[in-house]
Amino acid sequence: MKRTIEIGLGERSYPIHVGRGILGDPSSLAPHVAGRQVFVISDENVADLYLHSLERALEGSRGVDSHIIRSGERSKTLEELTSILQALAACRLGRDGVVVALGGGVVGDIAGFAAATYQRGVDFVQIPTTLLAQVDSSVGGKTGVNLPVGKNLVGAFHQPRCVVIDTKTLATLAPREMRAGFAEVVKYGLIGDADFFVWLEGNVDALLALDDQAIAHAVIRSCEEKAKAVMADEREIGQRALLNLGHTFGHAIEAGAGYGRWLHGEAVAVGIILAARLSEREGGLEAMDCRRIEALFEKANLPLHLPTNLSPERMLELMSLDKKNREGKMRLILLRRIGEAVVSADFDPSSLRKTLVAAAAAARDPDF
Ligand code: NAD
Ligand code: GLY
């Protein structure tokens, strides 16, 4: 069965199709690829597993070319973007062509950015194959690459024409990647849906064990929350920033540890814990709720601590590059309670410092 969630953005509106086994079903893709030249971007792992089925589902297109990047965060660079753009030009993809991103968030972000910039913008379709990409990165039109000094510092808003989520692809995903995606699922409960957070507390094991119903519920509920945030604030002028709960801390951990060592979702889990502790220190979040968040990440076997190489000073330095900062002031997402978050520039800087000092004192290197 296929469920469709609509993202209403005027002429940039698009459907998110969610179903088991829909990757090989041409019906979701046909309206976007029929009679058009298609260029698939994927990574080595995903291409081995799913490129063949996808090519069969693209049967109505005018022709299919593909470009395969190395797997992982280290590919999300300007250099890799250049090679993708050169490949698009070498295939003579025209402005009426369509780019298809088949893979996780790395593929989706870089392929989307290539589609945003090639010939000043061509259509693209997202086919996310990690939990993280299915619940977050494939929806909403944020595309881009990293610079050595910071995550996602170069990019563009470019909405896909369609998102096709085949939850069956999660069967081949490494457990560590499932856990990392889980951190972004928890985020939706924390920022906007306390009942969903309670559901996750009760269903974390089923979800990580790939129970079909649990996965379908988590993916659909997350996409609905993401859709709401994107429709309300496509370009992140205001409330969309709530989706970045824990990300300022998390991006600093990813950059500080060296891209690719920590998975994005793992860094976000520690980032959410630090945001929760700061929220508690600032008098927003109840101590008991802060513990519940930590307990849920612990149950999911996610890292809970800062790594030992990141001092409070280094964290602050890395966090000062965040895109949410305005007029030299850091803006963070804080929790008022489970299910309600705010964008704040008013927190006491000494609370942030104390939170980081305490976290650094308890630092522990993860065993991955
Ligand atoms: P990823 O794309 O690196 O994929 C993780 C790993 O899983 C890779 O090795 C990949 O080859 C492999 N893989 C993917 N699908 C598979 C499958 N079905 N079976 C087996 N292996 C599979 O990482 P990710 O966690 O999907 O995405 C992380 C990226 O997403 C980060 O760069 C992050 O910044 C970005 N992101 C973007 C947004 C956004 O709004 N654009 C939101 C959140 C995260
Ligand atoms: N992942 C954050 C956003 O899409 O805004």
Side-chain angles (χ1 to χ4, degrees):
M1 213 182 66
K2 184 165 86 178
R3 262 286 293 277
T4 299
I5 299 154
E6 292 289 341
I7 302 261
L9 289 171
E11 61 183 15
R12 293 180 306 289
S13 298
Y14 55 96
I16 306 168
H17 301 294
V18 185
R20 220 183 123 69
I22 63 175
L23 178 69
D25 167 15
S27 67
S28 306
L29 290 168
H32 310 282
V33 303
R36 301 170 77 179
Q37 194 181 347
V38 176
F39 190 94
V40 180
I41 299 171
S42 191
D43 74 20
E44 290 164 332
N45 298 336
V46 181
D48 273 356
L49 291 161
Y50 301 112
L51 185 56
H52 191 56
S53 322
L54 174 62
E55 280 171 346
R56 272 182 306 179
L58 293 170
E59 59 198 14
S61 66
R62 187 145 56 81
V64 182
D65 291 292
S66 55
H67 180 84
I68 312 301
I69 64 174
R70 277 188 314 148
S71 301
E73 191 71 32
R74 269 169 280 200
S75 286
K76 225 177 97 174
T77 61
L78 285 170
E79 292 72 26
E80 189 64 59
L81 176 74
T82 304
S83 62
I84 292 174
L85 293 172
Q86 279 166 344
L88 286 165
C91 290
R92 307 207 167 280
L93 193 88
R95 283 184 103 173
D96 55 348
V98 57
V99 169
V100 175
L102 172 70
V106 166
V107 167
D109 279 11
I110 196 167
F113 190 36
T117 47
Y118 178 70
Q119 296 198 1
R120 300 203 181 88
V122 295
D123 286 352
F124 91 114
V125 168
Q126 287 269 23
I127 307 184
T129 60
T130 61
L131 180 62
L132 184 140
Q134 297 187 350
V135 299
D136 193 354
S137 62
S138 63
V139 175
K142 281 189 181 176
T143 72
V145 296
N146 303 325
L147 293 182
V149 285
K151 280 272 296 180
N152 301 334
L153 286 183
V154 184
F157 284 99
H158 188 54
Q159 299 293 345
R161 290 288 171 191
C162 165
V163 182
V164 177
I165 299 178
D166 181 350
T167 53
K168 197 173 168 194
T169 58
L170 300 180
T172 52
L173 194 62
R176 184 180 168 196
E177 299 287 352
M178 271 304 283
R179 295 196 291 271
F182 179 75
E184 297 280 19
V185 178
V186 171
K187 166 184 87 178
Y188 293 111
L190 290 174
I191 64 175
D193 185 351
D195 290 343
F196 186 43
F197 184 86
V198 172
W199 182 88
L200 289 167
E201 288 180 308
N203 288 276
V204 49
D205 292 338
L207 188 56
L208 295 177
L210 301 178
D211 175 85
D212 286 348
Q213 280 187 349
I215 286 179
H217 180 70
V219 170
I220 290 167
R221 201 64 273 290
S222 301
C223 285
E224 285 169 346
E225 281 297 314
K226 177 106 194 212
K228 220 162 49 176
V230 172
M231 287 191 283
D233 179 21
E234 183 184 4
R235 297 225 155 203
E236 199 172 302
I237 310 298
Q239 293 302 295
R240 180 169 175 171
L242 297 180
L243 294 170
N244 286 312
L245 173 69
H247 282 57
T248 308
F249 297 100
H251 286 166
I253 294 171
E254 280 185 88
Y259 293 121
R261 294 176 77 84
W262 283 58
L263 300 180
H264 176 71
E266 291 168 340
V268 165
V270 174
I272 289 177
I273 289 172
L274 294 177
R277 288 188 189 151
L278 175 59
S279 305
E280 181 190 342
R281 213 176 264 277
E282 285 282 287
L285 190 67
E286 298 279 348
M288 195 184 69
D289 285 339
C290 195
R291 300 292 95 75
R292 275 173 73 193
I293 297 167
E294 292 176 16
L296 182 53
F297 286 140
E298 192 172 10
K299 209 167 169 194
N301 221 351
L302 278 157
L304 310 172
H305 302 280
L306 274 182
T308 54
N309 71 329
L310 286 178
S311 64
E313 292 69 32
R314 180 74 179 128
M315 281 295 287
L316 287 169
E317 184 189 6
L318 289 162
M319 289 168 76
S320 69
L321 266 173
D322 190 80
K323 294 189 292 307
K324 283 187 299 305
N325 300 342
R326 297 285 178 275
E327 294 165 8
K329 233 181 153 183
M330 197 180 292
R331 294 196 312 153
L332 294 173
I333 316 307
L334 299 184
L335 290 168
R336 286 210 172 120
R337 58 183 71 87
I338 289 178
E340 187 183 349
V342 287
V343 184
S344 173
D346 296 334
F347 57 86
D348 181 351
S350 76
S351 297
L352 172 59
R353 213 189 150 67
K354 283 179 194 157
T355 302
L356 290 171
V357 168
R364 191 183 306 165
D365 287 320
D367 51 10
F368 43 71

